[in-house]
């Protein structure tokens, strides 16, 4: 079992939020995926930002968020826009 904070982009605060929504390990995050994890965090933090979504995707891919493919970043940006609380 790998700790969340051992993944790129995941610090103590993000790990705490993820654990609060039932994502306690790196394996949990990989199983759920960045988008679903972000939606879960949004239930406890309605202001969760795009940078968190990028961080989660980078963690899933095993890369720093700044290294995400620009096309993937656009997909994530569109996902976030479509899933903002009313």
């Amino acid at each position: 079992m790998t700790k969340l904070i051992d993944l790129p982009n995941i610090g103590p605060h993000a790990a705490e939020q993820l654990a609060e929504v039932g994502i306690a390990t790196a394996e949990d995050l990989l199983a759920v995926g960045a988008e679903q994890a972000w939606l879960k965090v949004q239930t406890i933090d309605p202001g969760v930002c795009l940078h968190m979504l990028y961080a989660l995707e980078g963690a899933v891919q095993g890369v720093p968020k700044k290294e995400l493919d620009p096309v993937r970043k656009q997909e994530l940006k569109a996902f976030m826009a479509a899933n903002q609380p009313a």
Side-chain angles (χ1 to χ4, degrees), residues 8-76:
N9 314 310
I10 305 297
H13 180 68
E16 186 179 300
Q17 286 185 311
L18 289 166
E20 192 173 332
V21 296
I23 301 169
T25 66
E27 291 79 10
D28 293 342
L29 178 56
L30 295 176
V32 170
E35 290 101 328
Q36 292 306 311
W38 185 86
L39 288 173
K40 287 177 179 267
V41 171
Q42 191 181 52
T43 66
I44 60 164
D45 181 2
V48 66
C49 67
L50 181 61
H51 293 285
M52 175 67 148
L53 184 53
Y54 288 169
L56 292 167
E57 180 63 22
V60 167
Q61 290 187 25
V63 300
K65 64 184 178 182
K66 66 181 178 166
E67 293 180 15
L68 290 174
D69 180 347
V71 172
R72 182 63 177 138
K73 283 186 171 184
Q74 285 302 317
E75 292 170 355
L76 293 169

